[in-house]
Amino acid sequence: MSARGLPTLTTFPYEELDKREEDHWSGAAVSDDELRALALGAFYSTRWDAFHDALLLGPERDHPLGDRRELAIDTLTGAWGITDGTEAQASMEQLLDGMHAPLYAMVHPLVMASINASERDRFGERADRHRAFLRQVGSFRGMDNPEALVRDYDIWSQAIKIGFTDHLSRPLPSDIHAWDLARVVAVARMAFTAGYLEAEVAWDYLMRALPLAQRKYRNWRQFGDAYLAGWTYWQACEDLAELKSGGVDRRMELLRLWTRPTSPWRRIALNLI
């Protein structure tokens, strides 16, 4: 019983966020930087109920779709079209360079300029100039469909205007490379668990992702905000309707990572302090 006038202390103050399994730790001997690199993909470790401190997607448990290896193979095939180590490495190289981040870097500033335009732009002249510019960029870069950037521009503008980005921090992040870097870790761990990559190769990709994240983000708060903005941008362009509930759900998962005492984001800082 708490003392009069003092709140009762609890291990985690958000009961609605505490319904998932406990964070899983294998006790593996990893260095601080290896743990930081793994923590780039902590969102997926949490979603998968996997170890936070190991490449292998343990602990193993009974599952109607198979063991962890079979689940990794199915996910790589279904979500990524990856069926071997060569394809896994090609995808991770794209992610390290920025798979969606470069598109967002072009589209997002233009969308915000259009949304914040003065009354004199009420008929959308600025947006039309933006679309023409993006068509030119798409053609100059040799994109198969130069209209793809225009489509992203219109969808992202719509998502912001109708409130489907309300779960994001404000102002909206200007960079979403965290979305790509987190997926480097996810793909590397799945490919290792599937037997497509040796541990040394998987670790190499993780350790290449870490300094990129450290240079762009001061802490896990910034990293998580950028990750969620990246997912939101991708999801809007894939299926706008999914944002209505999916964004809030992912924000809650990030809040869990930021605040839960056993979270890897509480165990180690992204950068040395």
Side-chain angles (χ1 to χ4, degrees):
M1 183 176 180
S2 63
R4 181 174 296 182
L6 295 177
T8 301
L9 296 179
T10 59
T11 56
F12 189 62
Y14 301 97
E15 184 177 350
E16 68 275 18
L17 301 181
D18 213 21
K19 295 178 181 178
R20 296 186 63 84
E21 293 187 15
E22 293 289 326
D23 291 292
H24 294 290
W25 294 90
S26 69
V30 294
S31 69
D32 285 352
D33 275 349
E34 287 172 338
L35 182 56
R36 287 186 178 95
L38 285 166
L40 297 178
F43 180 91
Y44 299 102
S45 297
T46 301
R47 277 291 176 102
W48 297 334
D49 295 318
F51 290 132
H52 289 302
D53 57 345
L55 279 178
L56 191 68
L57 293 179
E60 194 62 80
R61 77 271 316 281
D62 292 332
H63 193 284
L65 297 180
D67 60 20
R68 289 285 169 139
R69 180 175 180 272
E70 291 169 325
L71 290 172
I73 291 172
D74 287 345
T75 303
L76 286 171
T77 302
W80 289 88
I82 293 173
T83 59
D84 59 30
T86 300
E87 292 173 347
Q89 291 184 68
S91 292
M92 288 187 288
E93 291 291 346
Q94 283 186 283
L95 290 166
L96 287 169
D97 290 338
M99 186 177 289
H100 291 102
L103 303 178
Y104 182 87
M106 283 191 292
V107 169
H108 177 68
L110 297 178
V111 167
M112 295 309 298
S114 178
I115 289 175
N116 296 325
S118 66
E119 285 295 314
R120 289 177 296 177
D121 194 50
R122 69 178 67 187
F123 298 110
E125 294 93 344
R126 181 175 303 206
D128 287 340
R129 291 197 298 272
H130 291 165
R131 294 185 185 98
F133 169 74
L134 290 171
R135 288 189 185 97
Q136 289 179 335
V137 171
S139 297
F140 177 77
R141 294 193 174 190
M143 296 178 65
D144 293 336
N145 180 15
E147 288 293 320
L149 287 175
V150 176
R151 172 184 172 274
D152 287 5
Y153 174 90
D154 289 335
I155 291 174
W156 189 235
S157 179
Q158 182 185 11
I160 294 172
K161 289 176 179 178
I162 63 180
F164 280 9
T165 63
D166 288 351
H167 56 277
L168 299 177
S169 62
R170 291 295 189 276
L172 294 175
S174 60
D175 170 272
I176 62 167
H177 203 185
W179 162 242
D180 292 331
L181 297 176
R183 292 183 295 162
V184 171
V185 179
V187 171
R189 294 187 68 185
M190 286 189 290
F192 172 72
T193 302
Y196 295 162
L197 296 179
E198 296 294 331
E200 293 78 7
V201 177
W203 275 119
D204 178 67
Y205 278 99
L206 266 65
M207 301 312 290
R208 288 172 61 189
L210 178 60
L212 296 175
Q214 290 175 318
R215 285 197 293 268
K216 290 196 172 188
Y217 311 106
R218 292 196 304 271
N219 51 48
W220 293 120
R221 173 68 64 170
Q222 289 186 352
F223 182 86
D225 283 339
Y227 167 85
L228 186 58
W231 175 84
T232 302
Y233 178 77
W234 169 80
Q235 187 62 74
C237 296
E238 289 290 316
D239 186 350
L240 192 60
E242 285 294 319
L243 287 185
K244 195 168 186 178
S245 60
V248 174
D249 176 65
R250 284 181 177 251
R251 184 75 187 181
M252 296 290 277
E253 289 283 9
L254 288 175
L255 182 58
R256 188 177 188 270
L257 283 166
W258 285 325
T259 58
R260 187 176 175 87
T262 55
S263 160
W265 288 2
R266 295 291 300 276
R267 179 168 290 195
I268 195 165
L270 174 58
N271 286 288
L272 292 173
I273 299 175

